[in-house]
Amino acid sequence: MDRTLLGYSSLGYAARRGFWPPDPPPGALTGKTAIVTGAKGGLGKAAALGLARLGARVRIVVRDAAGGRTAADEIARAVAGAQIVVDECDVSLLSDVRRYATGIDEPIHVLVHNAGVMPPERRETAEGNELMLATHVLGPHLMTALLEPRLAAAAPSRVIWVSSGGMYGQRLRVDDPQYRDSAYQPATGYARTKRMQVVLAGLWAQRLHETSIAVYSMHPGWSDTPGVAASLPRFRALARPVLRTPEQGADTIVWLAASTPAPAGGGFWHDRAARPQYYLPSTRETAEDRAAFWDACQRATAGPGDAAP
């Protein structure tokens, strides 16, 4: 179904839901804490809502605290007794990620990297990183590294990277991660960083395979979110009859976070099943590419007092 793109739609969701693994049991996350970035709306808010319904204490990470409080109030109205904490952090700024993550003083059972952007023109953060690379890759990489002790304290714990099916058309660009050497195209740049997320999640899964921290990447299919409306208005207008709701798009996030037993770490997930990471031979990277990419992420996120990788 995914090869025909039908699996990405609400039709694919409806066709598969009768055959996929069961829902997590009620209260599966009671007493546990989850962090969801980019949870002001769309998939992030839907994921936070789903986690709260399972009993989790959810920390929603947003750039705009006011917008975050609105989302928290909506979740609280939908889930009696929901515990929602609004945390302010700009994931695209490594200094802000460092401030935020080093201030977390409790075990973290679930970490969902969902924050996303697609600017119409190439933009850099105040720290000199291309905005999509910073938001989708560097910020989440640093946050995972800094929160690793908190995830270990909560083990078994889970880290989930929210990618996109658009990554299938792109290979890992170790040669130009900052998108400086070619003409900028928003959708292409977005898909490049989404491929990077899948590769990076796999590298984290390998790094942590002997721990009780499971790492996954997933894609939500075509979901009708504010981000799609703002960045891809023509696509939304054409595909709107078959777009998934945010809750349908977030389903696999919540399932990966709470299913028992936990799925094996690694892999690229969609509709509660591991899916191929490549459809085109030209998009496959080498082991050397992956190692170089990890080293580049380490260098780009190193703090003043950190040792060189």
Side-chain angles (χ1 to χ4, degrees), residues 54-66:
L54 292 174
R57 177 175 179 268
V58 185
R59 303 182 70 138
I60 59 174
V61 179
V62 295
R63 287 181 298 174
D64 172 22

Side-chain angles (χ1 to χ4, degrees), residues 23-252:
D23 293 342
L29 296 177
T30 299
K32 299 183 178 182
T33 297
I35 290 176
V36 183
T37 69
K40 179 181 176 180
L43 292 171
K45 187 174 75 171
L49 175 62
L51 297 172
R53 283 177 173 150
L54 292 174
R57 177 175 179 268
V58 185
R59 303 182 70 138
I60 59 174
V61 179
V62 295
R63 287 181 298 174
D64 172 22
R69 285 191 291 271
T70 298
D73 290 343
E74 291 174 0
I75 295 171
R77 286 195 295 271
V79 181
Q83 300 178 64
I84 309 296
V85 178
V86 179
D87 291 338
E88 194 167 9
C89 175
D90 185 341
V91 176
S92 74
L93 292 175
L94 301 177
S95 57
D96 211 25
V97 171
R98 195 174 294 274
R99 171 199 61 78
Y100 171 68
T102 55
I104 298 293
D105 59 358
E106 64 175 318
I108 300 300
H109 301 82
V110 178
L111 172 60
V112 180
H113 294 305
N114 169 76
V117 294
M118 189 194 296
E121 298 178 349
R122 186 184 182 279
R123 291 173 52 193
E124 290 188 356
T125 69
E127 296 167 334
N129 293 307
E130 191 274 318
L131 183 59
M132 287 190 286
L133 178 74
T135 305
H136 302 158
V137 180
L138 300 181
H141 177 65
L142 179 60
M143 187 177 291
T144 303
L146 295 175
L147 290 179
E148 184 179 340
R150 300 304 178 191
L151 292 159
S157 51
R158 309 178 195 190
V159 180
I160 303 163
W161 298 68
V162 181
S163 183
S164 164
M167 69 100 196
Y168 278 122
Q170 296 294 320
R171 63 180 177 88
L172 181 66
R173 293 296 302 268
V174 181
D175 59 319
D176 186 23
Q178 296 279 0
Y179 212 156
R180 293 191 176 104
D181 299 335
S182 54
Y184 179 83
Q185 296 178 350
T188 299
Y190 185 85
R192 284 183 182 183
T193 57
K194 291 299 173 175
R195 167 63 72 185
M196 292 176 186
Q197 285 186 318
V198 174
V199 172
L200 193 53
L203 292 170
W204 270 107
Q206 292 174 14
R207 173 186 172 89
L208 299 174
H209 78 280
E210 294 184 353
T211 74
S212 294
I213 305 171
V215 184
Y216 314 97
S217 58
M218 60 77 65
H219 84 85
W222 295 336
S223 299
D224 193 5
T225 65
V228 168
S231 300
L232 299 170
R234 184 173 301 176
F235 166 78
R236 180 175 183 262
L238 292 172
R240 192 169 185 177
V242 295
L243 292 181
R244 299 177 178 212
T245 66
E247 289 74 21
Q248 290 171 340
D251 175 86
T252 296

